[in-house]
Amino acid sequence: MEELDEHSYNDSDYDDDGNISFETWYKRVLEKLKSNDPKLTSLNLCEDHQVNDLLHLLERKELCVKAGNLIGANTHLSGLYINNESDDYGENDEKYQRIMNEHSENYSEFLRGVANNRSLTVLNLGYLPDESDAVKILRPLFKNNALTTVSFGNCSFIHIGYLTSSLSRRNSGGGTLKHLSLDGTRGEGAIDDHAAKLIKILNKYHCLETFTLNWTTINERSSHALSSMLRNDNCTLKELTLEANEFSDESLSVFANGILENSTLKMLNLKESEHVSAEGWVNFFSILRPTKLRSLSHLCLDNLKGSEEIMSFFGNCLQSSKMRALHTICFDNNNINDEAVAIFAEVFAYNNSLEVLDLSQNNSITTVGWQTLASLFLNTKSSIYLIDISNRNNSFDDDAAIAWGNALSQSKNTKLKDFRFIPLGITDRGWPALENLVCNKRSVDSMYDSNHALRLKWPLYMSGEEERLLIGVNSYQEFEFNCLLLDGIGMPDEDRSKYVLRKIIRFYFMNGDANMKELIDMDLNVMVHAIARIGSLTGGKNGGHTLLYQLIRSVPSLFDVSSNMKKGKLMNDIQQQQHRGI
């Protein structure tokens, strides 16, 4: 999709801060909409830098009406987004919601025009204003069988009721709707009834692939409806996200029975199911144990109570069932302890399907648990490429760092690319074990054999005090300088060799004449190939050009291509450098 981008503007359109004025931005948008520009296929009215633009638009009723009507008449626009996609859910997000609520009437006028559009395939309205009749206004839009993706936030039971009514009037089979995401308003008990009615309608949609229903007080009625949907022979659902709902032990069991007969579901997210007890989770996994669930690959659960018992049943479920496709497990923000970790490590000791493991924010795990988990990587069949054990209790200490350093250095796992942890418990004793994994400076050979694909990182949300404690560790400062500043993650595979060469140059050839001996001592035929490789590295203080400059200074005859250049003169220069001990 092509959006209205910076190439649509002139230098004079930007202010001193590099921002585009609302008048300029709005004028260009209207011009492209009015001309039905085929290049404008996607429009986001509330990107992170455009929250103020949304405010300027919603403050003026006539502008809202005009923009809405032009969108409604457009025949090339396929995506409309009015959501704040910023990762910063603080002041900016609150401002976005406040703007939507304060100007809900003008927003409704805007949507009246949008409702006439027949080209949109993606509609993401983000946050629906409180007491808004937005979904009711958009009823004509839902007659559009081109719509494949719909996303609303802050849905009340009234919004869900209107959506159910609108979808029930679409063509038999549900048209083309493939992705539906609804975030509700928690605390409204009536939503369970309305959600159940919506799910019954969606049961007729034989092309729905992803369904998100968060904060909607799902309980008994919705669970029965979901179970029926999953058992439907025509079910095409691949991803189901049901975060922050009100499953009880009984309703979760009803839902689990629906999974028994499903063969399409790949991702299941039941995070923040806070009303489910330890017994409820044990029953959930007990129900799944005899299944032939071959499709489920991604499982997300948190707030599990009684973690040791649950992990035991989860392990039995994995061992006795045929959940062979499971490759992503997100058990973050739980009460998993050392004993539960030991069970988990035993279950996956010889598993070759697990690829992503998230055990972050499990603050009951001590250094003993982390050391036990490190043994997973001694398994030659391990396929894990991302593991997150970020916890704020400082339990990932020197002993844990050394255990992981040893395990990863001995591991035959060549797929691990991303290791996430919080390093506040590591001192000068533990950092070298981690540094040597990715940047072993003992010799050129050891540097070459280091893991150049592995990325060690920690979250960016550490407090100022935590950052000061970290920076105060001498070994961390060296680690940061040596490893983090030479991060090669993201490079195409064919560029890995250049990244390795950069490391070697950085640590063995970048100390002026003192390092030239490594090159001077090379056989002349080998030196020519080395120079060619070095010259391929450009840019930055760790590039090859700086090294070539040092080489020219040391052996100028090497680069003398005149007809008078004699081989003896070149060898004489090299011998002089060797004699000087360079």
CSV table of all heavy atoms in Angstrom, one decimal, residues 46 51-55 84 90-102:
chain,number,residue,atom,x,y,z
A,46,CYS,N,-4.2,9.3,12.5
A,46,CYS,CA,-3.7,9.5,13.9
A,46,CYS,C,-2.4,8.7,14.1
A,46,CYS,O,-2.3,7.9,15.0
A,46,CYS,CB,-4.8,9.1,14.9
A,46,CYS,SG,-4.3,9.6,16.6
A,51,VAL,N,-1.3,13.3,16.2
A,51,VAL,CA,-2.4,13.4,17.2
A,51,VAL,C,-2.9,14.8,17.2
A,51,VAL,O,-4.1,15.1,17.3
A,51,VAL,CB,-1.9,13.0,18.6
A,51,VAL,CG1,-2.9,13.3,19.7
A,51,VAL,CG2,-1.5,11.5,18.7
A,52,ASN,N,-2.0,15.8,17.1
A,52,ASN,CA,-2.5,17.2,17.1
A,52,ASN,C,-3.3,17.5,15.8
A,52,ASN,O,-4.2,18.3,15.8
A,52,ASN,CB,-1.3,18.2,17.2
A,52,ASN,CG,-0.7,18.2,18.6
A,52,ASN,OD1,-1.4,18.0,19.5
A,52,ASN,ND2,0.6,18.4,18.6
A,53,ASP,N,-2.9,16.8,14.7
A,53,ASP,CA,-3.6,17.0,13.5
A,53,ASP,C,-5.1,16.5,13.6
A,53,ASP,O,-6.0,17.1,13.1
A,53,ASP,CB,-3.0,16.3,12.3
A,53,ASP,CG,-1.6,16.9,11.9
A,53,ASP,OD1,-1.4,18.1,12.2
A,53,ASP,OD2,-0.8,16.2,11.3
A,54,LEU,N,-5.2,15.4,14.3
A,54,LEU,CA,-6.6,14.9,14.6
A,54,LEU,C,-7.4,15.9,15.4
A,54,LEU,O,-8.6,16.1,15.1
A,54,LEU,CB,-6.5,13.5,15.3
A,54,LEU,CG,-7.8,12.8,15.6
A,54,LEU,CD1,-8.4,12.4,14.3
A,54,LEU,CD2,-7.6,11.6,16.5
A,55,LEU,N,-6.7,16.5,16.4
A,55,LEU,CA,-7.4,17.5,17.2
A,55,LEU,C,-7.9,18.7,16.3
A,55,LEU,O,-9.1,19.1,16.4
A,55,LEU,CB,-6.5,18.0,18.3
A,55,LEU,CG,-7.0,19.3,19.1
A,55,LEU,CD1,-8.3,18.9,19.8
A,55,LEU,CD2,-5.9,19.7,20.0
A,84,ASN,N,-4.2,5.3,17.5
A,84,ASN,CA,-2.9,5.8,18.0
A,84,ASN,C,-2.0,4.5,18.1
A,84,ASN,O,-2.2,3.7,19.0
A,84,ASN,CB,-3.0,6.5,19.3
A,84,ASN,CG,-1.7,6.9,19.9
A,84,ASN,OD1,-0.7,7.1,19.1
A,84,ASN,ND2,-1.6,7.0,21.2
A,90,GLY,N,1.1,6.5,27.4
A,90,GLY,CA,1.1,7.4,28.5
A,90,GLY,C,0.3,8.6,28.1
A,90,GLY,O,-0.8,8.6,27.7
A,91,GLU,N,1.0,9.8,28.1
A,91,GLU,CA,0.4,11.1,27.9
A,91,GLU,C,-0.2,11.1,26.5
A,91,GLU,O,-1.3,11.6,26.3
A,91,GLU,CB,1.5,12.2,28.0
A,91,GLU,CG,0.9,13.5,27.8
A,91,GLU,CD,2.0,14.6,28.0
A,91,GLU,OE1,3.1,14.2,28.5
A,91,GLU,OE2,1.7,15.8,27.6
A,92,ASN,N,0.5,10.6,25.5
A,92,ASN,CA,0.0,10.7,24.1
A,92,ASN,C,-1.3,9.9,23.9
A,92,ASN,O,-2.2,10.3,23.3
A,92,ASN,CB,1.1,10.2,23.2
A,92,ASN,CG,0.9,10.7,21.8
A,92,ASN,OD1,0.5,11.8,21.6
A,92,ASN,ND2,1.2,9.9,20.8
A,93,ASP,N,-1.4,8.7,24.5
A,93,ASP,CA,-2.5,7.9,24.4
A,93,ASP,C,-3.7,8.5,25.1
A,93,ASP,O,-4.9,8.5,24.6
A,93,ASP,CB,-2.2,6.5,25.0
A,93,ASP,CG,-3.3,5.5,24.6
A,93,ASP,OD1,-3.4,5.3,23.4
A,93,ASP,OD2,-3.9,4.8,25.5
A,94,GLU,N,-3.5,9.1,26.3
A,94,GLU,CA,-4.6,9.8,27.0
A,94,GLU,C,-5.1,11.0,26.3
A,94,GLU,O,-6.3,11.2,26.2
A,94,GLU,CB,-4.0,10.2,28.4
A,94,GLU,CG,-3.7,9.0,29.4
A,94,GLU,CD,-3.1,9.5,30.7
A,94,GLU,OE1,-3.0,10.7,30.8
A,94,GLU,OE2,-2.8,8.7,31.5
A,95,LYS,N,-4.2,11.7,25.6
A,95,LYS,CA,-4.6,12.8,24.8
A,95,LYS,C,-5.4,12.4,23.7
A,95,LYS,O,-6.5,13.0,23.3
A,95,LYS,CB,-3.3,13.6,24.3
A,95,LYS,CG,-3.6,14.8,23.5
A,95,LYS,CD,-2.3,15.5,23.1
A,95,LYS,CE,-2.6,16.8,22.3
A,95,LYS,NZ,-1.3,17.4,21.9
A,96,TYR,N,-5.1,11.3,23.0
A,96,TYR,CA,-5.8,10.7,21.9
A,96,TYR,C,-7.3,10.4,22.3
A,96,TYR,O,-8.2,10.8,21.7
A,96,TYR,CB,-5.1,9.5,21.4
A,96,TYR,CG,-5.9,8.6,20.5
A,96,TYR,CD1,-6.3,8.9,19.3
A,96,TYR,CD2,-6.2,7.3,21.0
A,96,TYR,CE1,-7.0,8.1,18.5
A,96,TYR,CE2,-6.9,6.4,20.2
A,96,TYR,CZ,-7.3,6.8,18.9
A,96,TYR,OH,-8.0,5.9,18.2
A,97,GLN,N,-7.4,9.8,23.5
A,97,GLN,CA,-8.7,9.4,24.0
A,97,GLN,C,-9.5,10.6,24.4
A,97,GLN,O,-10.8,10.7,24.1
A,97,GLN,CB,-8.6,8.4,25.2
A,97,GLN,CG,-8.0,7.1,24.8
A,97,GLN,CD,-7.9,6.1,26.0
A,97,GLN,OE1,-8.5,6.4,27.0
A,97,GLN,NE2,-7.1,5.1,25.8
A,98,ARG,N,-8.9,11.6,25.0
A,98,ARG,CA,-9.6,12.8,25.4
A,98,ARG,C,-10.1,13.6,24.2
A,98,ARG,O,-11.2,14.0,24.2
A,98,ARG,CB,-8.6,13.7,26.2
A,98,ARG,CG,-9.3,14.9,26.8
A,98,ARG,CD,-8.4,15.7,27.7
A,98,ARG,NE,-7.2,16.3,27.0
A,98,ARG,CZ,-6.0,15.8,27.0
A,98,ARG,NH1,-5.7,14.8,27.8
A,98,ARG,NH2,-5.0,16.4,26.3
A,99,ILE,N,-9.3,13.6,23.1
A,99,ILE,CA,-9.7,14.3,21.9
A,99,ILE,C,-11.0,13.6,21.3
A,99,ILE,O,-12.0,14.3,20.9
A,99,ILE,CB,-8.6,14.3,20.9
A,99,ILE,CG1,-7.5,15.3,21.3
A,99,ILE,CG2,-9.1,14.7,19.5
A,99,ILE,CD1,-6.2,15.2,20.5
A,100,MET,N,-10.9,12.3,21.3
A,100,MET,CA,-12.1,11.6,20.7
A,100,MET,C,-13.3,11.8,21.5
A,100,MET,O,-14.4,11.9,20.9
A,100,MET,CB,-11.7,10.1,20.6
A,100,MET,CG,-10.5,9.7,19.8
A,100,MET,SD,-10.8,10.1,18.0
A,100,MET,CE,-11.7,8.7,17.5
A,101,ASN,N,-13.2,11.8,22.8
A,101,ASN,CA,-14.4,12.0,23.6
A,101,ASN,C,-15.0,13.4,23.6
A,101,ASN,O,-16.2,13.6,23.6
A,101,ASN,CB,-14.1,11.6,25.1
A,101,ASN,CG,-14.0,10.1,25.3
A,101,ASN,OD1,-14.7,9.3,24.6
A,101,ASN,ND2,-13.1,9.7,26.2
A,102,GLU,N,-14.1,14.4,23.6
A,102,GLU,CA,-14.5,15.8,23.6
A,102,GLU,C,-15.2,16.2,22.3
A,102,GLU,O,-16.0,17.1,22.2
A,102,GLU,CB,-13.3,16.7,23.9
A,102,GLU,CG,-12.8,16.6,25.3
A,102,GLU,CD,-11.6,17.5,25.5
A,102,GLU,OE1,-11.0,18.1,24.5
A,102,GLU,OE2,-11.1,17.6,26.7
